[in-house]
Amino acid sequence: KWSTSEQEYINFGQSLIELSELDFALQLFHEVMTMTQNNITVEKCVFQVGRIYELKSVQSTNILPLSGFFRGNPFFASPFLRITDNSTSLNRAMEIYDSLSVSNNSLQAKFRLAEIQFRVLADLDRAEILYRDAMNGFKRQKEKTDCILRIADVFKAKGNLDGAESLLSSEIDKVQSGQNRVRLNIALGQLMMYKGELDTLNGHIKEIMTWLKSTDGEFNDLLDVMSLNLAFHEERKQYSEFGSAQLLLQQNKRMEALSILQSLTEIENPIISELIQYQIAYIHFLQQDYFSALEIAQLLNGETIYSELAYILQAEIVDFIHQDIELAVNLYLEFLDRYPDSIYYDNIRLRLRQLAS
């Protein structure tokens, strides 16, 4: 009777992980392992325990609810994660994944280990080996594509854009349609941005958009990039420098990226100028230089969306980092008064209700 419901317990544990109830999930998986005699169930539980320890030890750089630079857009999403102080959990996760990949030839464990090696420890060579091993073993195209995209990320981190382009182009030829083809082509488009190939990228994006529905998330991401490119239409040299800065951010070289972006702040176009100033402020936030982030964000008071985002960034730093609730409430109220038609209006009202309760 127990064995028929084991998968339900595993599913429940995975749901707990999604809800960030990590300790409860850990207890559940240990309980399942003590009661089952099914080796496959044990392996599944051990893998999930590894995921829990991994999640305990790292966190996304998106720690604020709304703030971010083209948040969620794959063109600007850095692969690197921030490590917490819990190095014991990270080591435990790596031990579990390594054991499963060697003893059970678990491809999922090998991929998770590669993710830690690359995204947390920045061991590019070791990560590439693991990604390739996993890719060669996976049967499903989505899992293969996950590995291909990560290998391309490793190439980008090494500055080998030609290698990344060659890899992506060869794999795109093997995938005729579907979501995986879209993901590979978006990654190829990133390289065009890094190289400053504005017109080529625009044409590439238009082709990808013909494969998508307007309700697809990627459609809106691509529209955002097209809008950005339109703003740079008369600033080709600056676009090339902007692309170089985005590559440096992909390589986790934030200070070098800041140096390039700061040289672009004098552009007369207000959309570009405020976009760049906002990204500079957000990079300072990522560097945990909250004073500089606030100082720069306060300078943005124009009519673009980036002035709105800068205001939100100020409020969220005060709210979630400094935990100055009174000042945060005042900033949120000022935002609602200043930007009554903002797409973030309801989000800010919701946060104010949470603070009031």
Side-chain angles (χ1 to χ4, degrees):
K1 184 176 180 181
W2 162 255
S3 62
T4 61
S5 60
E6 288 176 1
Q7 187 59 49
E8 292 180 14
Y9 279 95
I10 292 173
N11 292 341
F12 179 49
Q14 291 173 322
S15 297
L16 290 172
I17 292 174
E18 293 298 320
L19 295 170
S20 298
E21 295 288 348
L22 301 183
D23 291 331
F24 189 8
L26 187 62
Q27 181 181 348
L28 175 68
F29 286 122
H30 278 303
E31 189 73 17
V32 173
M33 284 189 286
T34 62
M35 299 181 69
T36 184
Q37 296 180 351
N38 187 319
N39 290 335
I40 294 177
T41 298
V42 171
E43 179 181 341
K44 289 180 178 179
C45 289
V46 171
F47 178 81
Q48 295 301 330
V49 169
R51 282 289 289 139
I52 291 169
Y53 282 124
E54 179 186 350
L55 291 169
K56 280 175 170 282
S57 61
V58 299
Q59 63 180 190
S60 168
T61 55
N62 290 328
I63 62 175
L64 299 178
L66 298 176
S67 297
F69 188 76
F70 288 96
R71 190 183 181 115
N73 191 314
F75 273 82
F76 302 98
S78 170
F80 293 101
L81 297 170
R82 178 182 297 173
I83 188 168
T84 68
D85 295 330
N86 201 338
S87 59
T88 301
S89 291
L90 183 65
N91 291 333
R92 183 72 180 119
M94 293 179 68
E95 290 170 2
I96 290 172
Y97 292 148
D98 186 58
S99 176
L100 286 174
S101 64
V102 174
S103 303
N104 300 61
N105 194 30
S106 169
L107 298 173
Q108 290 290 351
K110 192 168 291 186
F111 181 82
R112 295 307 325 160
L113 184 58
E115 290 281 87
I116 293 175
Q117 294 286 359
F118 173 47
R119 304 182 68 190
V120 181
L121 303 180
D123 187 340
L124 306 184
D125 293 332
R126 176 62 177 156
E128 182 181 346
I129 292 170
L130 290 167
Y131 283 132
R132 288 189 181 278
D133 285 348
M135 178 184 68
N136 292 332
F138 280 135
K139 302 300 182 185
R140 295 175 59 232
Q141 186 58 52
K142 180 188 180 303
E143 293 168 334
K144 284 184 174 292
T145 301
D146 289 341
C147 294
I148 293 162
L149 291 172
R150 281 292 183 233
I151 294 169
D153 283 340
V154 170
F155 283 150
K156 286 182 282 186
K158 291 181 175 180
N160 184 5
L161 299 189
D162 290 339
E165 181 177 357
S166 176
L167 171 68
L168 292 169
S169 297
S170 65
E171 294 299 329
I172 286 170
D173 291 339
K174 302 174 187 176
V175 183
Q176 297 304 314
S177 61
Q179 184 65 21
N180 295 311
R181 184 174 176 84
V182 170
R183 295 168 66 205
L184 291 168
N185 272 280
I186 286 176
L188 191 61
Q190 276 184 298
L191 302 178
M192 298 171 189
M193 176 179 284
Y194 300 153
K195 295 177 181 180
E197 299 172 350
L198 191 150
D199 292 330
T200 304
L201 175 56
N202 282 342
H204 186 69
I205 288 175
K206 289 177 182 176
E207 181 180 2
I208 299 174
M209 291 175 73
T210 64
W211 309 334
L212 298 169
K213 300 175 183 177
S214 60
T215 54
D216 291 336
E218 295 91 346
F219 191 91
N220 288 329
D221 291 335
L222 294 171
L223 271 181
D224 285 341
V225 177
M226 287 282 286
S227 297
L228 181 149
N229 288 355
L230 180 63
F232 273 101
H233 183 71
E234 301 297 331
E235 309 284 354
R236 298 305 177 98
K237 181 178 183 297
Q238 288 80 0
Y239 184 76
S240 179
E241 294 175 15
F242 175 79
S244 296
Q246 305 316 305
L247 174 59
L248 288 168
L249 290 171
Q250 282 283 313
Q251 296 170 333
N252 216 25
K253 298 177 179 178
R254 293 176 185 155
M255 300 311 295
E256 292 93 327
L258 274 175
S259 179
I260 293 177
L261 291 170
Q262 285 164 349
S263 70
L264 300 176
T265 56
E266 299 303 319
I267 293 177
E268 293 184 4
N269 185 317
I271 296 178
I272 299 177
S273 176
E274 292 203 353
L275 174 151
I276 290 172
Q277 288 182 71
Y278 176 72
Q279 186 172 32
I280 289 172
Y282 190 68
I283 292 171
H284 280 294
F285 165 76
L286 294 177
Q287 290 292 95
Q288 300 182 3
D289 181 1
Y290 304 127
F291 177 82
S292 294
L294 288 169
E295 189 176 46
I296 295 167
Q298 288 169 1
L299 298 176
L300 275 72
N301 55 7
E303 301 298 322
T304 75
I305 184 65
Y306 304 105
S307 288
E308 291 185 35
L309 289 169
Y311 217 97
I312 293 173
L313 178 60
Q314 295 175 61
E316 289 192 329
I317 289 175
V318 170
D319 183 357
F320 294 95
I321 304 301
H322 294 164
Q323 298 184 341
D324 185 337
I325 303 304
E326 182 178 355
L327 179 56
V329 167
N330 289 335
L331 287 170
Y332 286 135
L333 289 171
E334 288 176 13
F335 176 89
L336 296 180
D337 183 60
R338 182 175 295 195
Y339 302 106
D341 298 321
S342 172
I343 60 173
Y344 300 103
Y345 191 91
D346 289 339
N347 299 90
I348 299 302
R349 285 183 60 194
L350 176 61
R351 180 56 185 162
L352 278 169
R353 284 200 296 270
Q354 291 171 342
L355 291 174
S357 61

